[in-house]
Amino acid sequence: MEPGLRVYAVGDIHGRLDLLNVILTRIEADHAARAPAERHIIFLGDLVDRGPDSAGVVERVRGLCAADPQVHCIMGNHEEIFLRAIDGDDKALRLFCRIGGRETMLSYGVTAEDYERLDYAEVAERLNAVVPPEHRTFLENLKEIMILGDYAFVHAGVRPGIPIAEQKLAETRWIRDPFLDHRAPLEKMVVHGHTVAEEAEILPHRIGIDTGAYHSDRLTALMLEDQGREIFST
């Protein structure tokens, strides 16, 4: 990491506002205990779905980003599907309801009884009614990839052999095997979420920090400074 910079990356939150609050407290305490440095926080995407409070997580991260230009958020595949579902995309609506969208809708105030009665078109209609415009605007404007020093921060990964500047969004939000199976150095050290592991995965070319917070109760963050790295988990 570039001298004078301290970066905290946070893995996939998936509606666990409780764990997000714990990890943010840990980050603030860690930063305060170290020598002064320019502090950045990067959320790696998948704020929504599966866990119980997606609306609360979006609001918390939106507020942090609005208050501090050194807090950043990357779009995950779940944000992409959520936005496409709000737009009424039929394929996205079906996928949204299959990958934890029910919990997201409940967090925005739809009752379980109401949800069970909705068809796909009505799900889109209800999403438009319950998701605040400022949440939608925030999610639509999330970053795709962020470069700091020798590190690239991205949701899912990158396609090996393609320059980072030319990566396709479908790859950076969705890729698994071609990236995960790759063993050679990449243009940058890639910090990513998207693929769940029990513990943070630290390899010579990538660091994965999605530890399945919504079911494991373990939300993971990575601190990077100079040559140092530290992992925090709830």
Side-chain angles (χ1 to χ4, degrees), residues 8-101:
Y8 296 90
V10 180
D12 305 32
I13 302 164
H14 280 303
R16 290 298 301 268
L17 180 61
D18 55 340
L19 302 181
L20 173 60
N21 288 332
V22 171
I23 210 89
L24 287 170
T25 302
R26 293 275 299 277
I27 286 171
E28 288 309 317
D30 183 78
H31 178 59
R34 294 178 188 269
E38 183 182 307
R39 190 270 290 130
H40 289 260
I41 298 175
I42 304 172
F43 296 97
L44 296 179
D46 281 6
L47 307 180
V48 301
D49 298 339
R50 296 188 170 139
D53 199 359
S54 292
V57 171
V58 172
E59 183 57 28
R60 183 88 159 97
V61 175
R62 185 183 79 88
L64 291 167
C65 290
D68 185 345
Q70 290 167 356
V71 179
H72 320 272
C73 190
I74 286 163
M75 186 183 290
N77 59 308
H78 282 257
E79 282 76 48
E80 179 190 319
I81 294 300
F82 185 34
L83 289 168
R84 283 170 49 199
I86 294 171
D87 282 338
D89 177 317
D90 188 59
K91 199 174 159 193
L93 281 159
R94 290 167 192 274
L95 185 54
F96 173 71
C97 293
R98 216 166 60 233
I99 60 171

Side-chain angles (χ1 to χ4, degrees), residues 160-221:
I162 294 175
I164 281 176
E166 294 168 28
Q167 294 285 328
K168 293 186 169 65
L169 306 186
E171 303 274 33
T172 62
R173 290 180 200 155
W174 292 91
I175 197 166
R176 286 198 203 271
D177 294 352
F179 170 65
L180 300 173
D181 295 343
H182 182 75
R183 287 292 175 264
L186 294 162
E187 185 185 338
K188 301 275 185 189
M189 169 65 96
V190 177
V191 179
H192 66 95
H194 187 56
T195 299
V196 176
E198 274 190 35
E199 303 282 344
E201 295 186 300
I202 301 180
L203 296 154
H205 61 302
R206 69 175 180 86
I207 303 175
I209 58 167
D210 180 1
T211 46
Y214 69 93
H215 63 79
S216 68
D217 295 330
R218 186 187 295 134
L219 177 61
T220 296

